[in-house]
Amino acid sequence: MSLGRFSMVVVMAGGFLAGCAVGPDYTRPRATATMPTAYASSTNGWKVAEPQAHLPKGNWWEMFGNDELNRLEAEAANANQSLRAAVARFDEARAITDVTRAGLFPRLDLSPSATRQRVSGNRPLAGKAAGSTNTWTFNDFIMPLDLSYEVDLWGRVRRSVESARAQEQANADDLETIKLSVQAEVATDYFTLRALDAEKELLNTSVGVFCKSLELTQNRRLGGIATDLDVAQAETVLKTTQAELPATMLQRAQFEHALAVLTGQPASAFTLPERPLSIAPPIVPPGLPSELLERRPDIAAAERRMAAANASIGVAKAAFFPTIRLNGLAGFESVSAGTLFNWSSRLWSAGPSLTMPVFDAGQNSANLRLARATYEETVANYRQNVLTAFAEVEDELASQNLLASQHEAEVDALQAARKQLEIADNRYRAGLVTFLEVATAENTALDIERTTVQLRGQQLVAAVALVKSLGGSWQNPSLALQSARARSR
């Protein structure tokens, strides 16, 4: 068989086997061995998970109807450095995909050169030294065009592209994960800061009230009605409350600095004016659809990494088979630049090459075991992510219900504590009891009121955590904003 006819056979074989690729085709494994029939806190059933991180999530934070939070979220989206790093990693993955995809096409290189050389007189010629008569110095001008193409008989290149594309999609989902995390962290820190503002305002108000109470007790002591013990108790209540202020202000400063980092600003140049917490927590509708969980980008990223690892098994299997390349060379060569492009200066060569593994000391087998083990690892990670997502949703749904019940109970307890304080104060003014009862009632009322303020902040933080666990808001963004504005009015 002539070389040209053999090349034609190789090309035809490559075309015939173009659809053949060794290694398993990807099929998404089950997320868990047993799927729950419903959320423990919901009435909707589950269905087989199909990650859909590409679904729009909208500006979910707008459901709270707070302009300042909206501004901080916008600043974080534009200047957060972790987010920018994630964007760069996604660009890297896209570039890797393009590099890998280039292997599907022939490679053509032009490598012109110009050299001047002297041939050795003692070079071998027909088994003997050529002799000085065959020694000369000459120029060599060459303009070659090299063609190389791997005939992807076993799908090595196609599996590599499949793996790179899946990794690119996983990086896109990682970007969405970081974006959602940054958004949730901004909202969490903002609501916590505002809860601390409300707590600080409560402490300042209580300090003013306790100052007047101390002044009243001191006047009663001068009149002989109260004792030194009453004065000491009133002063203790005042000083204890004043001592709480620095700790609260420190916590506020720390959350303010955290918001500065999230929005890409120096902590020393970032300030938020103090405002009390006046945002009502959103109402979570009953029967959340299970499809919401499919928007979680971390689950989608884990699923895409399974696909990439599965394709890598095919790449490892292809290494056991021969690699066939079609090589070609065409161009011009001459000893003179003036005759380089003459027709008589043309040169060419063409033909296939075959590389077949004969002995690799078990390297290919080890690579195949590595690829299979990596795939099993990604399957386990995917299932763990799904189980974690189930637990997080259940946790946050339970938090919504239980924190609301606790807040309602604390509000009732606060009303009772204020009534108790009023009675104790009247009894003290009438000289029926010592100041100890008043001090005890004041401490009780202050503790319950602080708990009530903290619970309001925790409810908002839990709402943000629920959004994050679901991969986005449970509401239509425009309807959520209208609802939040209506609550605010």
Side-chain angles (χ1 to χ4, degrees):
M1 181 183 293
S2 66
L3 181 61
R5 190 171 297 177
F6 178 72
S7 300
M8 289 293 294
V9 171
V10 172
V11 173
M12 292 174 62
F16 178 74
L17 295 174
C20 174
V22 297
D25 292 329
Y26 177 67
T27 302
R28 184 184 301 116
R30 286 179 57 87
T32 60
T34 57
M35 298 291 288
T37 56
Y39 287 115
S41 306
S42 175
T43 57
N44 282 25
W46 287 94
K47 70 183 188 67
V48 178
E50 297 178 2
Q52 302 183 59
H54 62 281
L55 292 177
K57 304 171 183 61
N59 296 338
W60 55 265
W61 55 89
E62 292 181 353
M63 74 171 71
F64 297 101
N66 186 276
D67 293 335
E68 191 169 38
L69 175 60
N70 296 343
R71 176 181 62 82
L72 291 172
E73 293 285 1
E75 291 177 1
N78 293 327
N80 184 269
Q81 298 306 307
S82 297
L83 197 54
R84 289 187 175 183
V87 171
R89 285 194 295 272
F90 174 56
D91 291 338
E92 292 169 11
R94 294 176 62 183
I96 290 173
T97 301
D98 293 340
V99 169
T100 308
R101 188 169 50 241
L104 293 171
F105 304 95
R107 182 183 178 90
L108 198 61
D109 297 310
L110 178 65
S111 51
S113 65
T115 60
R116 181 170 178 79
Q117 64 186 44
R118 179 184 184 278
V119 179
S120 171
N122 293 321
R123 74 189 187 280
L125 184 63
K128 299 179 180 180
S132 59
T133 56
N134 291 297
T135 302
W136 65 85
T137 301
F138 60 92
N139 298 326
D140 187 14
F141 298 91
I142 185 169
M143 183 77 70
L145 194 63
D146 295 300
L147 173 68
S148 177
Y149 175 64
E150 178 180 346
V151 182
D152 195 24
L153 294 179
W154 320 113
R156 184 193 70 83
V157 179
R158 278 170 289 151
R159 291 297 192 194
S160 297
V161 173
E162 181 183 339
S163 178
R165 282 175 175 164
Q167 287 286 4
E168 177 188 342
Q169 293 164 351
N171 275 271
D173 294 330
D174 286 341
L175 173 59
E176 291 300 318
T177 298
I178 293 177
K179 186 183 298 183
L180 181 60
S181 297
V182 169
Q183 293 167 351
E185 189 63 30
V186 169
T188 297
D189 290 354
Y190 177 77
F191 290 138
T192 305
L193 182 141
R194 289 300 176 223
L196 289 168
D197 284 346
E199 194 172 343
K200 181 184 176 184
E201 183 182 34
L202 172 62
L203 289 172
N204 283 328
T205 302
S206 298
V207 166
V209 173
F210 297 160
C211 280
K212 293 180 180 179
S213 180
L214 175 60
E215 182 180 356
L216 172 64
T217 306
Q218 289 172 337
N219 292 334
R220 287 170 62 87
R221 174 67 184 86
L222 293 175
I225 303 175
T227 65
D228 290 337
L229 179 60
D230 293 336
V231 174
Q233 288 171 342
E235 188 172 5
T236 299
V237 173
L238 172 62
K239 296 301 181 182
T240 302
T241 307
Q242 288 176 332
E244 295 289 342
L245 278 170
T248 303
M249 294 172 66
L250 174 60
Q251 291 183 59
R252 186 193 191 279
Q254 291 171 340
F255 280 101
E256 189 176 55
H257 299 161
L259 284 169
V261 174
L262 288 169
T263 55
Q265 301 179 51
S268 58
F270 181 84
T271 58
L272 282 177
E274 293 183 11
R275 291 192 180 91
L277 186 64
S278 58
I279 304 173
I283 299 174
V284 181
L288 292 178
S290 61
E291 290 87 346
L292 290 175
L293 193 62
E294 296 175 353
R295 298 178 307 173
R296 281 185 60 132
D298 59 333
I299 293 179
E303 188 274 334
R304 287 291 80 201
R305 287 192 169 88
M306 281 195 303
N310 183 81
S312 295
I313 295 176
V315 175
K317 279 190 173 182
F320 288 90
F321 299 92
T323 300
I324 299 177
R325 290 185 175 275
L326 300 179
N327 303 300
L329 173 67
F332 298 91
E333 183 177 17
S334 176
V335 297
S336 170
T339 60
L340 177 61
F341 294 104
N342 290 351
W343 185 244
S344 59
S345 298
R346 73 188 185 279
L347 62 87
W348 63 269
S349 67
S353 65
L354 183 144
T355 303
M356 185 171 183
V358 177
F359 176 73
D360 63 1
Q363 180 181 8
N364 288 340
S365 297
N367 285 334
L368 181 57
R369 294 199 310 272
L370 173 63
R372 285 172 172 164
T374 301
Y375 172 73
E376 292 300 326
E377 179 187 2
T378 58
V379 172
N381 289 337
Y382 169 66
R383 288 173 173 165
Q384 182 63 33
N385 282 357
V386 173
L387 290 172
T388 301
F390 288 162
E392 288 179 355
V393 173
E394 293 290 359
D395 286 346
E396 302 311 329
L397 287 173
S399 295
Q400 292 292 313
N401 296 329
L402 297 177
L403 285 174
S405 299
Q406 186 180 0
H407 183 269
E408 184 178 352
E410 288 291 343
V411 170
D412 294 339
L414 179 59
Q415 293 177 353
R418 286 173 175 169
K419 183 66 175 177
Q420 177 187 355
L421 176 58
E422 181 182 355
I423 294 172
D425 188 59
N426 291 335
R427 286 167 60 84
Y428 173 69
R429 291 173 185 270
L432 300 177
V433 296
T434 64
F435 191 80
L436 177 61
E437 287 196 15
V438 179
T440 301
E442 287 176 338
N443 282 325
T444 302
L446 177 59
D447 289 342
I448 294 177
E449 193 161 5
R450 289 184 68 183
T451 301
T452 304
V453 170
Q454 292 167 357
L455 280 172
R456 177 62 79 196
Q458 290 174 18
Q459 284 182 283
L460 291 167
V461 169
V464 173
L466 178 59
V467 168
K468 184 179 178 183
S469 66
L470 291 172
S473 174
W474 58 83
Q475 296 176 327
N476 180 286
S478 59
L479 295 179
L481 179 58
Q482 294 174 11
S483 176
R485 287 176 174 170
R487 288 197 308 273
S488 177
R489 288 194 298 268

